[in-house]
Amino acid sequence: MRTDGYLAQYDALQQTDPAAALGLLTGWLRTDWRPLFAELRARRPVLATPAFTLVTRFGDVTEVLSRPASFTVAAYTSPMEAALGSPIMLTRDGTPMNWREKGVMQVMLAPEDVPRLRALTGALADAALDAAGDVIDVVESLFRAVPLAVCARYFGFPGPDPATLSRWSRAVMTDTTANLIGDPAVRAASVEAGAEMMAYLRALVAERRAGPEGPDVLGRLVRTRLPAELGFDDERVAVNVAGLLLGFVENAAGSMTNVLAHLLAHPPLLARAAEAARDSERFEPYVWEALRFDPFLKMIIRYRARDHVLASGAHLPGGGLVLAAVASAMFDENVVADPGAFRLDRPEHTRLHFGYGPHACVGVHPGRTVIAETLRRLLLRPGLRAEGEIRRDRGVFPDSFPLRLDAPAWKESRV
Ligand code: HEM
């Protein structure tokens, strides 16, 4: 890992071989993001490249995410709408649909559900851990399995089986968030998965409409009758239920993997977190602080719809992409005190894991609950240690992370 001089190397290569310079930069964004961002914040907080502009300071990042007239969500429109067959709140800025459906979904994902959801998550995580042998693939058996089961039992969207639900999520989110070069095969796989998912959901909504509606989030949606002129019909219900899966599983599994990897790499911290895991309130700050040191979503993409001068003075010309580096903003020393220290007392507003501004995560309450409670139940198990490397699809989505656990006393006494 280099400690400085990224810009000098990038600038020099940019003169002679711009494509190679871009390749170097995107590689660093994956492997060296903390020192790279530190240098950019200090020396070139807004870096314009031929492919995108990178914004790294807290104030600039939050401004980009809160000015939808200048910085739109257009980069999501084509992949997500191709998969779903129609718009969803994350693909449109400030439209009546976005305004209305974000409101409806905030009501449906009631914060009051949190205690019940925490209990459900805890039971699912404990059952998965009890069923595991000495070695568990924690991504497959816990970090994906628990969110998929929550999708089934709390959202009311089980899919034909968990493997199919998992495949739909991965195919659509790969095209939406990890296909910057626009690989047509990735798009085709997403469109096919999206069409299958929407056909399934239309049938599921019709089945619930015939009754019984059910006690879950889908049941709530079906029991909610809005006046016809608002256009919240069964197709909109199906699209929003698709959004529950798509917003959730990859983000939750990726975030849990990164938190666990950070804790395992710092044994004294792991020991403190394991001790705090006896109490959910005491434990949760460990999760968000560990995630700050390795956020799953490091940059949020926007399209520059028009010229914009940031409050900091930087001029961003219209046309092209801007990446709002939330991972950098959360280390900005002007806003985040002593950013290199692992601290449990950070104010909520310094954390950007669930986005910022008009598109901030509508699933923040369930998302937070499932991540924290799954990890808490895992850390209550003694003797956790990595048994192999994390394997990722496209270097992004974790697929496997073998972990060794001490056999619990009740299992040992049986042999
Ligand atoms: C229960 C689970 C979840 C659901 C249903 C959900 C759903 C959504 C939806 C619908 C949006 C778009 C909101 C809008 O356009 O107004 C969104 C945004 C976002 N979500 Fe979630 N989400 C969930 C979990 C998570 C998790 C676990 C994370 C990460 C830790 C996350 C991070 C984000 C971020 C960063 C955004 C902002 C995207 C942007 O501004 O481009 N979400 N979420």
Side-chain angles (χ1 to χ4, degrees):
M1 184 191 286
R2 305 164 56 87
T3 51
D4 69 4
Y6 293 98
L7 272 173
Q9 205 183 333
Y10 171 79
D11 288 344
L13 196 55
Q14 169 65 25
Q15 301 293 319
T16 54
D17 188 346
L22 198 59
L24 194 62
L25 180 66
T26 50
W28 288 332
L29 286 171
R30 215 172 279 149
T31 57
D32 284 27
W33 62 274
R34 270 182 62 196
L36 169 70
F37 284 150
E39 187 181 333
L40 291 180
R41 283 194 306 277
R43 300 195 30 225
R44 201 175 303 163
V46 176
L47 172 69
T49 81
F52 51 78
T53 294
L54 192 55
V55 169
T56 56
R57 285 190 182 158
F58 193 97
D60 290 347
V61 165
T62 49
E63 183 173 342
V64 165
L65 295 178
S66 44
R67 299 287 186 280
S70 297
F71 306 111
T72 74
V73 289
Y76 297 126
T77 307
S78 144
M80 290 197 90
E81 296 188 6
L84 298 172
S86 48
I88 184 165
M89 67 182 92
L90 187 53
T91 65
R92 300 295 167 118
D93 292 284
T95 58
M97 176 281 293
N98 172 289
W99 179 259
R100 173 169 55 247
E101 295 187 7
K102 181 144 189 168
V104 170
M105 294 313 287
Q106 280 179 208
V107 173
M108 298 298 139
L109 297 169
E112 295 91 325
D113 293 346
V114 163
R116 185 165 63 93
L117 180 58
R118 187 180 295 125
L120 171 66
T121 304
L124 290 165
D126 274 346
L129 288 162
D130 288 347
D134 302 350
V135 176
I136 178 174
D137 184 335
V138 81
V139 171
E140 186 189 331
S141 303
L142 205 61
F143 296 165
R144 289 186 80 76
V146 170
L148 289 167
V150 165
C151 192
R153 307 236 323 242
Y154 172 57
F155 296 152
F157 175 13
D161 51 69
T164 306
L165 199 60
S166 179
R167 178 171 60 79
W168 290 341
S169 163
R170 176 62 62 79
V172 177
M173 291 317 285
T174 299
D175 189 36
T176 302
T177 63
N179 190 22
L180 259 186
I181 56 162
D183 179 346
V186 171
R187 170 61 53 89
S190 167
V191 168
E192 193 185 327
E196 264 178 52
M197 174 174 67
M198 289 309 298
Y200 165 90
L201 281 172
R202 287 181 193 109
L204 182 66
V205 174
E207 195 184 292
R208 294 292 192 95
R209 192 63 80 201
E213 290 107 339
D216 41 36
V217 172
L218 172 55
R220 261 183 204 152
L221 277 162
V222 170
R223 278 180 279 135
T224 304
R225 283 284 189 192
L226 293 182
E229 70 269 23
L230 295 180
F232 196 72
D233 58 14
D234 282 358
E235 183 67 11
R236 298 312 306 159
V237 171
V239 166
N240 277 285
V241 174
L244 296 176
L245 171 73
L246 299 180
F248 184 26
V249 171
E250 306 306 326
N251 274 330
S255 301
M256 288 192 268
T257 303
N258 287 14
V259 168
L260 179 65
H262 185 78
L263 295 177
L264 288 171
H266 299 84
L269 188 58
L270 177 69
R272 280 166 56 206
E275 203 281 317
R278 286 190 246 156
D279 175 81
S280 15
E281 227 169 280
R282 222 155 47 83
F283 177 66
E284 217 179 302
Y286 283 90
V287 173
W288 309 123
E289 186 65 348
L291 191 58
R292 189 175 68 88
F293 280 84
D294 193 7
F296 177 60
L297 193 68
K298 293 184 173 64
M299 292 168 283
I300 295 182
I301 193 166
R302 291 291 186 264
Y303 179 74
R304 306 194 306 270
R306 63 183 191 192
D307 286 8
H308 185 102
V309 179
L310 293 168
S312 62
H315 175 233
L316 273 69
L321 299 173
V322 54
L323 300 178
V326 285
S328 174
M330 289 190 281
F331 276 85
D332 184 337
E333 35 286 298
N334 293 316
V335 176
V336 180
D338 195 8
F342 192 98
R343 281 175 53 166
L344 301 172
D345 61 349
R346 300 205 177 276
E348 186 77 13
H349 75 270
T350 60
R351 303 219 159 104
L352 301 174
H353 299 308
F354 289 91
Y356 187 89
H359 287 283
C361 183
V362 81
V364 60
H365 299 293
R368 224 186 235 159
T369 305
V370 172
I371 289 175
E373 188 62 10
T374 305
L375 284 167
R376 189 175 81 83
R377 298 295 174 121
L378 175 64
L379 287 214
L380 283 171
R381 306 282 161 147
L384 298 186
R385 54 220 183 264
E387 182 70 10
E389 299 289 305
I390 300 172
R391 193 166 45 76
R392 290 180 191 264
D393 177 12
R394 293 166 188 273
V396 179
F397 303 103
D399 268 337
S400 153
F401 187 8
L403 199 69
R404 183 169 286 278
L405 310 165
D406 284 349
W410 61 266
K411 272 196 180 170
E412 273 174 354
S413 64
R414 274 203 206 149
V415 278

